[in-house]
Amino acid sequence: MNNRRTTAVTTAAGGSSSSSGNNSSSSSSTNSSSTGSSTSNNSNNSNNSNNSNNSNNSNNNSHKEDSKDPIDIASRQFAGLKTKDYEGHVKKINTVAWSCDGKRVATGSVDETAKVWTIDRKGYVEKELELKGHTSSVMTLIFHPTNPNLLCTASGDKTVRLWDVKAGKCVQTIETKGQNINITWSPNGQYIAVGNKKDVISIIDTKQSKAKIVDQRKFAVQVNEMAFSATGEYLLLTTGNGTIEIMKFPSFNRAHVIEAHTGHCYALQFDPTGRYLATGGADSVVALWDLSEMVQVRTFQNLDSPIRTLSFSNDGKFIASACEDKKIDISDVESGRHVHTLQSRSEVNCISFNPKNMLLAFAGDESHERYARSVSVFGFSS
């Protein structure tokens, strides 16, 4: 989900620069009084120009603050929200996910543990849980699509674990053949698809008396992230070729291939309304696709580095994207307009909107001793 393999890509960020030429008038004079007058006039002109510019800026800001434009209103609302940090790990966080009821946020870390925080709408912690058992970094995790008490973690230790977070214990361990880096859960909760560093996707059937791998497929192309369609009829993969591979499930017959990005295609996310699919690539572009025809309807180009992770808000109105620029872009889905920039202390590895509220969890490559152990949640009013 959030730990796709990225390659070092250098992109040139285009910046705009403007230069203003000051008009100056000169007059010939044989006395110092005339020279002084000329200097005074230039100073007055400069001051008048500065005052005019300040007045214009003030008017522009005032206009934006008074604007009834929906995007300006949303921008003001986001600007007034707060971020809270939740500490618990001893090393950096790789992955973050919310439970389906929006009450719990879970994280997986290099420290080989998963943490689960139960928080209220104001951000206060009601319960904190640590899940131990993996013997290598927890690379990715995901909650069951309809059961908020069931969590799945995948690790570099070649295992997938199912946890009952209400009881605080591991209920099943499934051994895989490689170091696991991505995961997704079918909408009906029956199947888990997990991918490893060797581009082998294993399908785990969780409805049997004991969850087990029922299919494995090796891909010739690098697989970065996966997601089931809303019906579970298709499994979509992002690849190192910049494509989206749409596979029939469970047959794995290729239904369609989309040339999505000019470089690696890393991230993908379905919107909660079922209308759109978003993808992010090494070309620093977030692309929005209409699922009814699988055509690209718009792009978001507000970031200057490879897109690492994506998430739609619970109402589908906003899309958040993050990259190596230590910032998160939040844009309006329908218009494509930028709404808010959320600054991060580090390169962001993972983001996830709460499925019930306008809260955005994120974590990254934080090196600071304190914040390297924390997940941040943005969206609190106080």
Side-chain angles (χ1 to χ4, degrees), residues 118-137:
T118 303
I119 58 177
D120 64 18
R121 187 61 185 87
K122 293 184 177 181
Y124 295 108
V125 177
E126 296 178 348
K127 185 179 179 180
E128 183 177 336
L129 175 67
E130 183 177 59
L131 303 174
K132 292 183 176 181
H134 284 295
T135 58
S136 184
S137 177

Side-chain angles (χ1 to χ4, degrees), residues 254-281:
R254 183 178 285 106
H256 198 48
V257 178
I258 299 174
E259 299 288 339
H261 294 269
T262 56
H264 286 248
C265 184
Y266 291 129
L268 83 163
Q269 184 84 187
F270 286 100
D271 90 312
T273 70
R275 183 178 178 183
Y276 296 121
L277 170 73
T279 59

Side-chain angles (χ1 to χ4, degrees), residues 71 288 298-300 317 331-339:
I71 305 303
L288 191 71
R298 69 183 54 88
T299 60
F300 305 83
K317 292 182 178 180
S331 293
D332 179 73
V333 170
E334 289 301 330
S335 69
R337 292 168 59 188
H338 170 75
V339 176

Side-chain angles (χ1 to χ4, degrees), residues 40-188:
S40 176
N41 287 339
N42 287 340
S43 176
N44 288 337
N45 288 338
S46 178
N47 289 336
N48 289 337
S49 176
N50 288 337
N51 289 337
S52 176
N53 288 336
N54 289 337
S55 176
N56 289 336
N57 289 337
S58 177
N59 289 337
N60 288 337
N61 290 335
S62 176
H63 174 73
K64 189 170 183 178
E65 289 175 1
D66 296 335
S67 172
K68 303 300 182 183
D69 180 87
I71 305 303
D72 289 340
I73 293 173
S75 181
R76 293 197 298 269
Q77 291 173 339
F78 275 111
L81 300 176
K82 310 294 183 184
T83 299
K84 294 189 177 183
D85 298 311
Y86 301 89
E87 299 177 38
H89 290 286
V90 297
K91 294 183 179 179
K92 76 172 185 178
I93 294 171
N94 291 322
T95 178
V96 61
W98 291 94
S99 58
C100 60
D101 60 2
K103 295 180 179 180
R104 297 185 178 102
V105 60
T107 54
S109 170
V110 176
D111 65 13
E112 303 176 1
T113 71
K115 298 280 292 187
V116 181
W117 286 270
T118 303
I119 58 177
D120 64 18
R121 187 61 185 87
K122 293 184 177 181
Y124 295 108
V125 177
E126 296 178 348
K127 185 179 179 180
E128 183 177 336
L129 175 67
E130 183 177 59
L131 303 174
K132 292 183 176 181
H134 284 295
T135 58
S136 184
S137 177
V138 178
M139 299 300 296
T140 185
L141 51 72
I142 187 172
F143 275 96
H144 188 281
T146 59
N147 182 353
N149 297 319
L150 192 57
L151 176 70
C152 180
T153 58
S155 169
D157 65 6
K158 302 182 181 181
T159 68
V160 171
R161 287 176 176 259
L162 295 174
W163 307 83
D164 181 337
V165 297
K166 188 174 183 179
K169 65 179 182 180
C170 177
V171 292
Q172 288 197 62
T173 301
I174 303 97
E175 294 185 358
T176 62
K177 292 186 177 180
Q179 294 176 299
N180 303 304
I181 58 172
N182 45 48
I183 197 168
T184 187
W185 212 319
S186 65
N188 65 3

Side-chain angles (χ1 to χ4, degrees), residues 368-382:
H368 188 282
E369 182 178 352
R370 173 187 173 187
Y371 296 112
R373 305 187 298 263
S374 67
V375 59
S376 300
V377 179
F378 167 77
F380 298 107
S381 57
S382 60

Side-chain angles (χ1 to χ4, degrees), residues 29-36:
S29 177
T30 58
N31 58 62
S32 61
S33 175
S34 295
T35 303

Side-chain angles (χ1 to χ4, degrees), residues 238-259:
T238 61
T239 77
N241 291 340
T243 61
I244 308 168
E245 302 273 342
I246 304 177
M247 319 297 294
K248 287 282 292 183
F249 186 81
S251 69
F252 275 92
N253 292 329
R254 183 178 285 106
H256 198 48
V257 178
I258 299 174
E259 299 288 339

